[in-house]
Amino acid sequence: MTISVLSVASEAYPLVKTGGLGDVVGALPAALMPHDVNVVTLVPGYPRVIAAVQGAAALHDWPDLVGAPARLLSGTIGGHKLLVLDAPGYFAREGGPYGDPSGRDWDDNWRRFAAFGRAAADLASGAVKGFRFDVLHAHDWQSGLAPAYLRFAPAGGRCARSVMTIHNIAFQGRFDASIFGSLALPDRAFAVDGVEYYGGVGYLKAGLEAADAITTVSPTYAAEILRPEFGMGLEGLIRARRERVSGIVNGIDPAVWNPAADAALPERYDAGDLALRTINKRALEKAFALEPGDGPLFCVVSRLTWQKGMDVLADTLDALVAGGGRLALLGSGDAWLEHAFQEAAARHPGRIGVRIGYDEALSHLMQGGADAILIPSRFEPCGLTQLYGLAYGCVPVVARTGGLADTVIHANDAALDAGVATGIQFDAVTHESLAQAIALALRLFATPERWSSIQRAGMAADFSWATSGRRYADLYRELLSA
Ligand SMILES: Nc1ncnc2c1ncn2[C@@H]1O[C@H](COP(=O)(O)OP(=O)(O)O[C@H]2O[C@H](CO)[C@@H](O)[C@H](O)[C@H]2O)[C@@H](O)[C@H]1O
């Protein structure tokens, strides 16, 4: 039997992406199709999304969706069906998906994403004519109210099963209790087994409480979030529902991330002709005004935040350069970190190059031209940049946490001798351990056969969606047969 799934998310590549959520949501429809699962994606009608579905007829009207009118449009994304919540009062704004051009969160995010959750629940409960779904799959806090509406106030007759996926538990969508009255949920929903969270309203919490199943994006992270150090206040709830929690590691979309067919690379290559990467390395050096050379070139493609361990990296750059390394860094985030990296670049001209901003094409060139990618995250639910690194022969140097622990095989002597090492892992996210990991990378790089064996082992690893797609499909089937 074909299962129909409504995937509900605030980002979907290539229409809207601020991070890994967009990549995964964009890849899910193709990942699930071989398993007889038909995924329709619902996204908010940000200006770029509306432009992409221009001329589409409205399929449904909500005269008052949590306080403003909205309509439903349809289009396609990557050849798959897309639904768009067109609500100009909420989404027709300059700026990012969550904040104004200066990066400040919109004051009415609670209302914007309540409306989004309400619309998703209407679609999944049969309240919108012409639509039926077996499963509502909500991603992150922006979609967290959808399972709660489905449970406490389904508008249609039928009730789809629901899955809540945690991509980043650090963002929880916490709002003041005073908003509850505007959510049009019954009073009983403001309870510890409902949407109430530490005296306020918690959107991610609401989704985790109401969903029939909870997933996160790697097995190690699924175990980590049972503990206070990683659960960020939600560990009690997750422990209480642990029977329903599973970790399904992300895959990568081969249509977007494949060094043999990547239009963003000056030179395409595969594991059989790694020497061709040098052409990309030269282009990368040029893009970052680095001294050209065959010595080791590290890269970073990241949000510049505490989660990603970027403060520790900033402290380790002098050691990286002293050891003979160079660094190309692309990212944006906390102003003080942006400043720290720019200062490091000024201190080490030609050795450290920094680009503050977001640049999809450049991120491909970095994976295709740098020798190694540094990912010193304090927590990492899955991580995608190490997977891209593996696929591109850009050796990942990662903290041993979450999905990074699950996807990289550390280059200890045994793994090196067996030819299975795919990268370097280190334990505590401290200056010392990161410096040691970088030193190990520099030593391994100095023996070209060792280095290329690590590159090839990574490129041979399978991080396609085949296995993970099946696991989501199995989960949906399990829910429907329960
Ligand atoms: N400045 C820049 N320019 C261009 N591209 C940039 C960029 N900065 C980041 N990116 C891109 O954004 C994505 C980041 O994905 P990650 O999985 O590494 O982290 P993120 O924390 O966003 O995702 C969360 O969700 C994902 C998906 O589940 C989890 O893998 C992860 O652990 C979790 O924190 C990658 O595609 C990366 O290339």
Side-chain angles (χ1 to χ4, degrees):
M1 172 196 94
T2 303
I3 297 178
S4 62
V5 174
L6 181 67
S7 174
V8 184
S10 58
E11 301 184 20
Y13 180 86
L15 286 177
V16 43
K17 164 176 169 182
T18 70
L21 170 68
D23 285 347
V24 172
V25 172
L28 275 180
L32 283 160
M33 206 166 61
H35 307 288
D36 215 7
V37 176
N38 186 16
V39 177
V40 174
T41 309
L42 175 71
V43 293
Y46 309 118
R48 274 202 58 191
V49 178
I50 295 296
V53 296
Q54 219 168 24
L59 303 174
H60 184 75
D61 276 292
W62 285 271
D64 178 357
L65 191 66
V66 197
R71 24 178 234 157
L72 187 70
L73 305 178
S74 83
T76 57
I77 183 164
H80 300 272
K81 192 154 181 198
L82 179 76
L83 291 173
V84 175
L85 184 66
D86 179 23
Y90 296 139
F91 302 121
R93 305 176 180 183
E94 290 302 310
Y98 318 119
D100 65 20
S102 76
R104 194 177 153 268
D105 281 356
W106 302 112
D107 288 335
D108 60 349
N109 272 345
W110 66 271
R111 197 186 280 281
R112 301 168 80 221
F113 292 106
F116 188 54
R118 179 71 262 179
D122 284 1
L123 280 158
S125 64
V128 177
K129 208 169 146 247
F131 291 93
R132 63 168 294 281
F133 295 97
D134 301 310
V135 176
L136 180 154
H137 188 159
H139 302 268
D140 275 354
W141 76 264
Q142 298 87 351
S143 310
L145 280 195
Y149 277 122
L150 208 53
R151 173 163 147 209
F152 290 107
R158 50 190 309 283
C159 211
R161 301 290 169 169
S162 57
V163 177
M164 182 80 229
T165 293
I166 303 168
H167 296 268
N168 199 331
I169 210 167
F171 303 114
Q172 302 188 347
R174 282 179 76 167
F175 303 102
D176 192 79
S178 59
I179 72 161
F180 181 75
S182 305
L183 298 179
L185 279 163
D187 287 349
R188 69 191 163 88
F190 194 77
V192 74
D193 64 348
V195 307
E196 186 275 337
Y197 188 46
Y198 292 107
V201 175
Y203 282 27
L204 179 60
K205 187 261 169 154
L208 294 172
E209 195 64 65
D212 296 305
I214 297 170
T215 72
T216 188
V217 285
S218 70
T220 293
Y221 193 65
E224 286 173 342
I225 54 177
L226 300 170
R227 310 206 310 261
E229 311 90 276
F230 291 96
M232 300 201 165
L234 288 164
E235 62 278 2
L237 186 171
I238 293 166
R239 266 203 308 274
R241 305 203 72 208
R242 65 192 301 167
E243 298 300 316
R244 293 175 180 264
V245 179
S246 53
I248 303 178
V249 77
N250 291 330
I252 66 178
D253 188 340
V256 184
W257 291 97
N258 173 8
D262 189 330
L265 298 182
E267 188 66 45
R268 295 181 263 286
Y269 60 93
D270 60 29
D273 49 19
L274 283 171
L276 291 175
R277 296 183 90 256
T278 309
I279 297 165
N280 299 327
K281 189 166 174 175
R282 292 290 97 82
L284 181 56
E285 288 160 349
K286 209 159 160 212
F288 281 86
L290 294 170
E291 294 162 1
D294 293 332
L297 174 54
F298 294 88
C299 76
V300 171
V301 181
S302 184
R303 287 186 286 116
L304 304 180
T305 62
W306 182 88
Q307 174 197 345
K308 302 291 184 182
M310 287 294 127
D311 48 325
V312 174
L313 176 68
D315 279 349
T316 312
L317 293 182
D318 294 342
L320 182 150
V321 171
R326 289 167 298 154
L327 174 74
L329 178 142
L330 167 66
S332 61
D334 296 349
W336 74 276
L337 284 169
E338 294 181 355
H339 186 67
F341 287 116
Q342 280 166 326
E343 267 193 346
R347 249 190 346 266
H348 300 288
R351 310 292 300 175
I352 294 181
V354 169
R355 187 79 70 89
I356 300 300
Y358 191 92
D359 188 332
E360 193 75 27
L362 186 58
S363 76
H364 285 243
L365 176 63
M366 297 173 82
Q367 300 278 10
D371 298 300
I373 181 160
L374 299 174
I375 313 176
S377 304
R378 287 192 169 84
F379 68 93
E380 196 61 77
C382 177
L384 292 170
T385 55
Q386 86 280 13
L387 302 183
Y388 303 149
L390 290 167
Y392 278 62
C394 181
V395 174
V397 178
V398 305
R400 190 177 281 117
T401 187
L404 300 173
D406 290 339
T407 55
V408 174
I409 301 175
H410 177 59
N412 58 28
D413 290 343
L416 283 168
D417 291 343
V420 297
T422 60
I424 291 167
Q425 294 189 334
F426 59 95
D427 276 312
V429 179
T430 60
H431 162 71
E432 291 75 20
S433 54
L434 176 57
Q436 276 172 20
I438 289 171
L440 175 58
L442 293 169
R443 277 203 305 283
L444 291 168
F445 185 83
T447 314
E449 315 79 69
R450 282 247 133 138
W451 192 257
S452 57
S453 129
I454 299 173
Q455 288 178 298
R456 278 197 300 271
M459 292 175 85
D462 178 12
F463 289 106
S464 70
W465 274 101
T467 311
S468 300
R470 175 171 300 283
R471 291 210 50 206
Y472 279 117
D474 288 348
L475 174 67
Y476 301 148
R477 291 211 156 79
E478 219 171 274
L479 291 179
L480 291 169
S481 65

